[in-house]
């Protein structure tokens, strides 16, 4: 198959839905001689903040002369970026090569077992393990989990470090509808002998995770207990063990980004103390300060100001609203919103309405995208407007500040339209 045919085959797996569990992954990996056992992996899980944390780690390691693979989702500009080498998406030819390896095994799974057909995410995860474990080995692979943790298809390897960025009420129909339920699912990545860096604020979830860490005799490294992130507006001070790093100023704004960066720094310092890496601390901090992550409070135009943010659940919307209030207190903010089915859009919309001068709603081309009328009916803002062609609307926007948000898939569609 060529590149487009390979992509079509991968995306066709989408129709098989989401099927939590790792038995299909284990069966296929066994047939491929376990490439996942050949990587030095850092496993990053959580409801929000995974992508940013991956990016901080990646850039700091690259700046310290390590080769780094990353596995992230969803993609924003090109499918290939989901599997990236030193920050660059793998090539079209490499995608074709990986499909040629994984496709026969997935067909064997379907023909020889009753485990069910491999899903799209399982196929892409397999491709990642094959690429970094067999085709193109690297020093470190940073693996971002997809949905959940215990039953996520990435949870089939033994990492050298594990990070839990946050816990929020997302995908409640699949992984639980309470913070405790979700904490139980996330705790499935805690493995004996692997340091566990985590940032959980809900008391019930925190207590449960603490108990699992203690039970498994794992070194738990917790934000606000072991890691101190002391914010002073745009700058923050980081403390961990005997380390203190002052006046860190990130390009990615918001106290939540300071916390994500703190998780990454603590992980790197723990790896340094354990002899896993050599670190030039100045290079590490410079790389982290200059990190950007597309689609996260990303300013794509200055005059008028247009900001894209892929906030896609109640917790990330709350953080976005707080950040906009802090950094743009005197601006007249218009909101353009679209989302996919299965999200608590009522709560998301209500939070955004508190900062919106005019609330615009639209729809985009995606299988699970909500119809514009559904979103419009849920908006209670006194000035609400339906937008038919969001690309033309953004292009001709002449207000003060336009915030485009609601879904990472929506942001991906917007970026694609703007690029064209």
């Amino acid at each position: 198959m060529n590149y487009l045919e390979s992509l079509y085959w991968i995306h066709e797996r989408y129709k098989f839905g989401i099927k939590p569990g790792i038995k299909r992954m284990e069966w296929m990996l066994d047939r491929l001689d376990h490439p996942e056992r050949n990587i030095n992996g850092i496993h990053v899980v959580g409801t929000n903040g995974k992508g940013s944390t991956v990016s901080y780690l990646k850039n700091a390691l690259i700046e310290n002369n390590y080769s780094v693979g990353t596995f992230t989702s969803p993609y924003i500009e090109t499918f290939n970026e989901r599997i990236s080498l030193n920050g660059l998406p793998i090539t079209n030819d490499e995608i074709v090569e990986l499909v040629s390896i994984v496709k026969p095994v997935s067909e064997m799974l379907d023909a020889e077992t009753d485990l069910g057909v491999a899903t799209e995410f399982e196929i892409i995860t397999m491709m990642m393990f094959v690429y970094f474990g067999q085709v193109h080995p690297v020093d470190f692979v940073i693996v971002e989990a997809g949905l959940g943790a215990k039953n996520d298809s990435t949870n089939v390897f033994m990492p050298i470090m594990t990070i839990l960025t946050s816990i929020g009420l997302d995908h409640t129909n699949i992984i639980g509808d309470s913070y405790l339920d979700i904490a139980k699912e996330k705790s499935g990545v805690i493995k004996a002998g692997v340091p566990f860096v985590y940032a959980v604020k809900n008391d019930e979830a925190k207590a449960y995770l603490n108990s699992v860490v203690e039970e498994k005799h794992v070194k738990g490294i917790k934000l606000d207990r072991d890691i101190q992130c002391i914010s002073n507006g745009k700058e923050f001070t980081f403390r961990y063990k005997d380390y203190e790093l002052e006046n860190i100023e990130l390009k990615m704004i918001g106290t939540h980004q300071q916390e994500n960066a703190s998780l990454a720094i603590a992980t790197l310092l723990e790896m340094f103390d354990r002899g896993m890496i050599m670190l030039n601390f100045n290079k590490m901090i410079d790389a982290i300060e200059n990190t950007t992550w597309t689609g996260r409070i990303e300013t794509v135009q200055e005059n008028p100001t247009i900001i894209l943010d892929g906030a896609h659940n109640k917790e990330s919307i709350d953080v976005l609203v707080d950040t906009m209030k802090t950094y743009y207190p005197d601006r007249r903010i218009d909101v353009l919103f679209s989302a996919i089915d299965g999200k608590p859009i009522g709560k998301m919309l209500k939070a955004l309405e508190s900062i919106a001068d005019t609330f615009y709603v639209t729809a985009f081309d995606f299988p699970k995208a909500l119809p514009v009328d559904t979103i419009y009916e849920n908006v209670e803002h006194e000035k609400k407007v339906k937008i038919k062609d969001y690309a033309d609307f953004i292009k001709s926007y002449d207000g003060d500040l336009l915030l485009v948000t609601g879904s990472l898939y929506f942001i991906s569609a917007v970026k694609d339209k703007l690029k064209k």
Side-chain angles (χ1 to χ4, degrees), residues 169-361:
L169 299 178
D170 200 5
H171 303 293
T172 54
N173 59 323
I174 297 173
I175 59 176
D177 58 6
S178 72
Y179 285 102
L180 179 58
D181 288 338
I182 294 172
K184 289 178 179 178
E185 166 65 20
K186 302 293 186 188
S187 72
V189 297
I190 301 174
K191 297 178 174 67
V194 180
F196 180 58
V197 183
Y198 59 121
V200 176
K201 299 185 177 180
N202 176 269
D203 289 338
E204 195 174 25
K206 186 165 48 179
Y208 181 80
L209 290 167
N210 291 343
S211 69
V212 175
V213 165
E214 186 176 343
E215 177 188 327
K216 293 192 174 183
H217 304 291
V218 167
K219 179 169 185 179
I221 304 167
K222 188 179 176 305
L223 185 70
D224 296 333
R225 185 190 67 190
D226 309 292
I227 307 165
Q228 299 299 316
C229 173
I230 304 162
S231 181
N232 182 26
K234 291 184 178 181
E235 296 182 344
F236 73 99
T237 296
F238 167 91
R239 291 178 187 150
Y240 174 58
K241 294 181 177 176
D242 294 328
Y243 299 106
E244 179 171 279
L245 304 170
E246 298 181 310
N247 305 319
I248 303 172
E249 183 174 352
L250 306 175
K251 280 192 174 179
M252 294 208 285
I253 61 175
T255 54
H256 64 298
Q257 290 296 355
Q258 295 175 353
E259 292 179 351
N260 293 337
S262 295
L263 295 179
I265 295 168
T267 300
L268 293 164
L269 292 176
E270 185 66 21
M271 291 170 66
F272 174 73
D273 285 350
R274 289 170 176 260
M276 297 176 180
I277 53 174
M278 295 299 295
L279 271 183
N280 179 310
F281 284 27
N282 289 331
K283 287 183 176 181
M284 173 182 71
I285 295 302
D286 285 347
I288 285 172
E289 287 186 322
N290 288 304
T291 293
T292 58
W293 187 238
T294 187
R296 272 73 169 188
I297 313 188
E298 179 186 5
T299 301
V300 294
Q301 184 175 297
E302 290 288 356
N303 189 23
T305 304
I306 297 176
I307 294 174
L308 310 182
D309 191 273
H312 58 282
N313 52 42
K314 177 63 166 58
E315 288 82 7
S316 56
I317 287 287
D318 286 343
V319 166
L320 173 60
V321 169
D322 287 344
T323 302
M324 296 301 291
K325 286 178 178 178
T326 300
Y327 286 84
Y328 302 95
D330 302 321
R331 303 293 293 274
R332 192 177 73 255
I333 300 171
D334 296 318
V335 173
L336 175 63
F337 181 90
S338 194
I340 62 174
D341 193 18
K343 300 293 182 178
I345 63 164
K347 294 178 180 179
M348 295 166 69
L349 292 169
K350 189 171 183 179
L352 285 167
E353 286 168 17
S354 68
I355 61 169
D357 186 69
T358 302
F359 206 107
Y360 299 94
V361 298

Side-chain angles (χ1 to χ4, degrees), residues 9-25:
W9 178 78
I10 293 168
H11 292 321
E12 193 183 26
R13 309 296 97 193
Y14 184 82
K15 68 186 180 186
F16 298 112
I18 298 169
K19 297 183 287 190
I22 60 173
K23 289 185 177 180
R24 286 177 299 279
M25 285 294 299

Side-chain angles (χ1 to χ4, degrees), residues 51-111:
S52 300
T53 304
V54 167
S55 200
Y56 291 128
L57 289 166
K58 172 199 71 182
N59 290 341
L61 287 168
I62 291 172
E63 193 63 26
N64 276 276
N65 300 316
Y66 290 102
S67 59
V68 183
T70 52
F71 180 62
T72 57
S73 62
Y75 69 88
I76 301 297
E77 295 181 356
T78 172
F79 172 84
N80 299 29
E81 73 193 42
R82 298 187 69 167
I83 304 172
S84 290
L85 174 63
N86 292 331
L88 297 175
I90 63 172
T91 66
N92 293 355
D93 288 344
E94 287 172 318
I95 292 288
V96 173
E97 179 185 4
L98 293 173
V99 167
S100 72
I101 296 170
V102 170
K103 185 173 182 284
V105 179
S106 72
E107 290 172 344
M108 288 168 57
L109 171 77
D110 187 26

Side-chain angles (χ1 to χ4, degrees), residues 149-174:
K150 177 182 178 181
N151 292 304
D152 185 74
S153 64
T154 61
N155 195 29
V156 290
F157 74 107
M158 181 62 73
I160 57 173
M161 298 288 294
T162 301
I163 304 172
L164 172 58
T165 58
S166 67
I167 283 181
L169 299 178
D170 200 5
H171 303 293
T172 54
N173 59 323
I174 297 173

